């Protein structure tokens, strides 16, 4: 009877110790302070796409009043 | 450096919604999302006014200020864009935007909205220019093709202006001078009363 109880406690202790250790390890890994990784777009993403092409100039011209010649 | 801006001449807008339709068609925008909308006040009454609204590409964009994953960025020509790879669909930008520009493709019981979608000034997103991947996420990249946003280009009454802020402001100012009156939205005094010293 005593042996049975002893073995049951050991098993529980083992799970307690093992479970506690793994939880602590996971918490330490996830909660450890790491540097913030904000999105930093490169020069290619932020470069100006706008070009004053003939197409764009025509848009400006037709939206304004006709210029006197 | 040119700064990209939209300007809607409310005296010319006839609420045809062609800008809305053109935008949806050009970018294959899904059902339920309108990157551009026409807002009408005093509908059916004297003094009715319509204004075509979309993302105004703010200089100090509130959407970018509140984004918890910092997915917004401003290009060198002052267009506010965002990365759909980073967006978590939290909806904060929708609450922050004074123009109601951010839109979401889904509504579910558990609040998941999907990736935010908004007007890109026809400049798409961070993907490589004019690729299929870029089109699928953000739509056409007309700016890279040397064109302007389609909504403005096809406006039949020339109400919606888009492009270099200084040039379109000059075009609008010329119209105001020609008419002899503004649309009620011209000058600092409109927003800050007569007492403002500019």
């Amino acid at each position: 009877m005593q042996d049975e109880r002893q073995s049951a406690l050991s098993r529980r202790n083992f799970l307690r110790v093992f479970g506690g250790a793994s939880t602590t390890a996971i918490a330490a890994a996830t909660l450890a302070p790491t540097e913030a990784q904000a999105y930093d777009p490169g020069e290619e993403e932020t470069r100006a796409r706008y070009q004053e092409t003939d197409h764009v100039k025509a848009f400006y011209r037709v939206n304004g009043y006709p210029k006197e010649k | 450096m040119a700064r990209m801006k939209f300007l809607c001449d409310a005296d010319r807008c006839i609420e045809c919604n062609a800008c809305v339709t053109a935008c949806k068609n050009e970018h294959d925008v899904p059902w339920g999302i309108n990157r551009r909308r026409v807002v009408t006040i005093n509908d059916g009454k004297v003094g009715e006014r319509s204004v075509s609204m979309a993302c105004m590409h703010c200089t100090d964009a509130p959407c970018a200020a509140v984004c918890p994953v910092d997915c917004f960025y401003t290009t060198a020509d002052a267009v506010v864009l965002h990365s759909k790879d980073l967006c978590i669909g939290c909806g904060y930008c929708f609450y922050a935007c004074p123009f109601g520009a951010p839109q979401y493709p889904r509504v579910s019981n558990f609040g998941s909205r999907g990736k935010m979608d908004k007007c890109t000034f026809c400049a798409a997103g961070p993907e490589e220019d004019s690729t299929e991947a870029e089109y699928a996420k953000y739509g056409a990249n007309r700016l890279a093709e040397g064109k302007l946003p389609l909504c403005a280009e096809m406006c039949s009454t020339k109400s919606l202006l888009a492009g270099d802020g200084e040039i379109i402001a000059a075009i609008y100012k010329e119209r105001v001078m020609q008419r002899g009156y503004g649309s009620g939205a011209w000058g600092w005094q409109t927003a800050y009363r007569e007492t403002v010293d500019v």
Side-chain angles (χ1 to χ4, degrees):
Chain A
M1 190 64 184
Q2 183 65 32
D3 286 343
E4 270 181 25
R5 186 184 292 167
Q6 188 64 43
S7 65
L9 282 172
S10 312
R11 180 172 60 83
R12 287 182 177 175
N13 281 339
F14 168 76
L15 289 173
R16 255 186 217 131
V17 170
F18 183 74
S22 58
T23 310
T24 313
I26 291 165
T30 52
L31 298 177
T34 51
E35 202 173 325
Q37 302 261 319
Y39 180 48
D40 184 19
E43 279 185 17
E44 177 54 27
E45 283 92 337
T46 56
R47 76 178 166 84
R49 259 73 174 176
Y50 172 73
Q51 311 149 52
E52 208 161 304
T53 55
D54 289 342
H55 185 91
V56 172
K57 283 178 189 163
F59 173 82
Y60 294 144
R61 181 172 46 78
V62 299
N63 274 275
Y65 290 112
K67 298 279 178 274
E68 287 177 19
K69 289 178 183 172
Chain B
M1 180 66 73
R3 296 176 59 76
M4 297 299 102
K5 290 290 165 201
F6 281 121
L7 200 162
C8 182
D9 185 347
D11 283 310
R12 287 186 174 219
C13 183
I14 57 168
E15 200 197 350
C16 68
N17 275 287
C19 48
V20 179
T21 313
C23 173
K24 283 186 80 87
N25 189 56
E26 178 74 357
H27 303 296
D28 205 8
V29 179
W31 281 99
I33 293 181
N34 281 331
R35 290 183 177 182
R36 176 167 285 285
R37 277 169 295 179
V38 178
V39 178
T40 303
I41 52 169
N42 294 330
D43 202 359
K45 297 176 188 158
V46 176
E48 176 182 324
R49 281 287 162 82
S50 296
V51 186
S52 179
M53 294 295 303
C55 172
M56 298 299 277
H57 301 278
C58 307
T59 300
D60 186 11
C63 53
V66 299
C67 180
V69 292
D70 204 8
C71 74
F72 291 90
Y73 63 97
T74 305
T75 65
D77 38 16
V79 178
V80 178
L81 299 176
H82 72 294
S83 166
K84 284 195 181 181
D85 293 337
L86 290 179
C87 176
I88 55 170
C90 67
Y92 285 13
C93 51
F94 177 75
Y95 296 118
C97 177
F99 308 107
Q103 304 276 300
Y104 302 88
R106 283 201 306 272
V107 177
S108 78
N109 292 338
F110 299 102
S112 92
R113 301 174 168 91
K115 307 285 185 186
M116 187 273 278
D117 193 273
K118 74 169 190 72
C119 160
T120 62
F121 206 88
C122 287
E127 263 76 5
E128 197 181 330
D129 284 351
S130 308
T131 54
E132 247 179 66
E134 186 186 53
Y135 185 82
K137 281 185 199 167
Y138 308 98
N141 192 340
R142 293 174 58 84
L143 228 57
E145 295 167 10
K147 297 174 183 171
L148 287 170
L150 187 64
C151 51
E153 283 200 3
M154 50 63 58
C155 179
S156 58
T157 58
K158 311 283 184 218
S159 164
L160 189 58
L161 301 169
D164 186 340
E166 286 186 16
I167 298 176
I168 61 169
I171 292 170
Y172 183 63
K173 194 167 187 175
E174 191 188 5
R175 290 181 186 180
V176 171
M177 301 294 277
Q178 187 82 7
R179 288 179 203 142
Y181 64 93
S183 64
W186 179 254
W188 290 102
Q189 277 81 6
T190 306
Y192 300 104
R193 313 249 177 226
E194 300 296 327
T195 51
V196 73
D197 187 22
V198 286

